[in-house]
Amino acid sequence: MRIIFLSTPEFGIASLEKLIESPKHEVVAVVTQCDKPSGRGNHLKQSAIKEFALSKGLKVLTYEKISRDGLEDLRNLKPDIMITCAYGQILSQAIIDIPKYGIINVHASLLPKYRGASPIQTCIIKGESETGITIMQTEAGLDTGDILSRATTKIGEEETAGELSERLSHLGAELLLSTLDDIECGETQPEKQQHANATITTKINKEDCYINFNKSAKQVKCLILGANPDPIATTRLGKDLVKIYRARVAYDLPDSGKEVGEIIEPSSAKRGVFVQCGTGVLEIVEAQFAGGKVLPAKQLFGGRKFAIGMKFEPVLFPEI
């Protein structure tokens, strides 16, 4: 099939690579978001998909508003199908009507749960034990189309959003190829979504990731893992901001009776830094002080950055 592939982040690379390798399909163009200013110099930065597509010699198109600016280009390419994979723009009905087989979307959750912008982060933050990939027929709504196929996977107890995203990207790529085969053979069995069960996710900002140790150790752990690799969960120790990258629940330690947020006696020098939460004890595994390196917490403890009796407090000022 002649395919136009629409994607922006690294998550879409595995699917695009599978399409390029497939002798059954031809990627006639890749559509991605426009280059964005990045870094202190505000230099324009290409999306991960654009960099990869150009390295493979593919035609790349960018539009500020695809439904306004891209209609003629996409029609002229005469695609059999278009595929979206975390593209980042809502498509008009006129765009959806261009391909023979319409548009399908590779979505990183088990729809209708976790529609929207941050399904991977949100499912970890919410403490889900499993997630997956849904391939759906795109319609003019936010992840509301019929389900064409699904694949499920367990979420690791200490898996970060970045690690889960990497796994789901490959799971999605495999499911995409088999779903395209079914579409071409007329063997799909579309399933209507149960819209009453839908949940909508929004972009996770750094303010959403300020740690509240009054919550349970599991809730804090899930926030930390869900915020990694971006925007990273943050707390305050005295005047210092501390970013926490990895943590686990210390199931073997009882509540200490200390104040919420207080660093308590470690059970072993080989382990991390232990913090009393509203319920349960959290072990900080990896952290970073402003201007410093990301280090195992036990090294920061040994260097007295962390000490027993110190107390983490809410972030009361914006991170700079």
Side-chain angles (χ1 to χ4, degrees):
M1 285 196 284
R2 288 174 59 83
I3 294 172
I4 297 176
F5 188 79
L6 301 87
S7 183
T8 297
E10 188 175 351
F11 181 81
I13 291 176
S15 289
L16 179 55
E17 190 166 30
K18 282 288 185 184
L19 294 172
I20 294 169
E21 293 172 352
S22 172
K24 298 180 180 180
H25 306 298
E26 178 190 3
V27 180
V28 296
V30 172
V31 182
T32 189
Q33 297 279 46
C34 297
D35 298 353
K36 299 288 179 65
S38 178
R40 292 184 178 179
N42 278 332
H43 300 296
L44 291 179
K45 181 177 176 59
Q46 298 176 343
S47 72
I49 279 289
K50 183 176 180 179
E51 289 184 357
F52 179 79
L54 290 175
S55 75
K56 298 297 182 180
L58 298 175
K59 180 183 183 70
V60 176
L61 303 172
T62 60
Y63 306 103
E64 287 289 346
K65 292 186 178 180
I66 187 172
S67 295
R68 180 192 66 195
D69 306 326
L71 195 59
E72 185 176 353
D73 288 344
L74 300 180
R75 280 177 176 159
N76 289 339
L77 287 167
K78 301 185 185 319
D80 295 311
I81 195 167
M82 290 165 58
I83 300 164
T84 58
C85 185
Y87 170 51
Q89 290 191 39
I90 299 294
L91 306 180
S92 67
Q93 191 63 49
I95 296 285
I96 294 170
D97 289 341
I98 290 173
K100 173 183 177 181
Y101 295 107
I103 301 177
I104 62 173
N105 178 43
V106 182
H107 183 78
S109 82
L110 298 174
L111 291 172
K113 204 167 192 180
Y114 301 130
R115 295 173 178 174
S118 59
I120 297 174
Q121 292 169 296
T122 302
C123 75
I124 292 179
I125 291 170
K126 295 292 187 182
E128 299 286 355
S129 60
E130 70 174 22
T131 187
I133 293 289
T134 302
I135 295 184
M136 52 162 259
Q137 193 78 45
T138 297
E139 60 181 33
L142 182 63
D143 301 328
T144 57
D146 291 354
I147 294 167
L148 303 179
S149 57
R150 280 195 190 94
T152 302
T153 185
K154 296 290 185 183
I155 300 173
E157 179 72 20
E158 297 177 22
E159 191 167 26
T160 68
E163 292 162 348
L164 179 57
S165 179
E166 174 71 14
R167 285 205 300 116
L168 288 176
S169 71
H170 293 283
L171 184 64
E174 295 292 340
L175 187 62
L176 174 61
L177 267 289
S178 64
T179 305
L180 287 174
D181 288 344
D182 290 343
I183 290 171
E184 202 164 16
C185 296
E187 295 179 356
T188 56
Q189 296 181 334
E191 173 191 339
K192 295 290 183 185
Q193 291 192 47
Q194 299 298 314
H195 300 304
N197 298 331
T199 53
I200 306 297
T201 69
T202 57
K203 182 180 178 182
I204 305 293
N205 298 308
K206 63 182 180 181
E207 292 83 4
D208 301 318
C209 298
Y210 292 157
I211 298 171
N212 178 3
F213 284 101
N214 284 293
K215 294 186 175 182
S216 71
K218 181 178 179 180
Q219 288 175 306
V220 176
K221 179 211 74 169
C222 289
L223 175 66
I224 289 166
L225 297 179
N228 183 350
D230 185 69
I232 303 299
T234 306
T235 185
R236 181 169 61 89
L237 193 63
K239 295 182 179 180
D240 294 321
L241 285 176
V242 183
K243 293 183 176 182
I244 301 181
Y245 287 74
R246 292 182 184 271
R248 62 173 71 100
V249 178
Y251 289 110
D252 58 329
L253 294 182
D255 283 350
S256 65
K258 302 293 185 180
E259 291 186 37
V260 168
E262 187 173 341
I263 297 175
I264 64 175
E265 185 76 38
S267 63
S268 167
K270 295 181 179 180
R271 295 176 66 179
V273 171
F274 295 86
V275 184
Q276 179 62 53
C277 296
T279 304
V281 175
L282 184 80
E283 180 184 0
I284 298 173
V285 176
E286 196 172 70
Q288 177 189 31
F289 279 78
K293 296 180 179 178
V294 180
L295 292 171
K298 61 185 179 183
Q299 289 187 25
L300 294 171
F301 188 90
R304 308 304 290 176
K305 289 281 189 179
F306 294 139
I308 296 167
M310 286 183 173
K311 186 179 176 183
F312 290 106
E313 303 282 357
V315 176
L316 300 177
F317 49 90
E319 185 177 357
I320 297 174

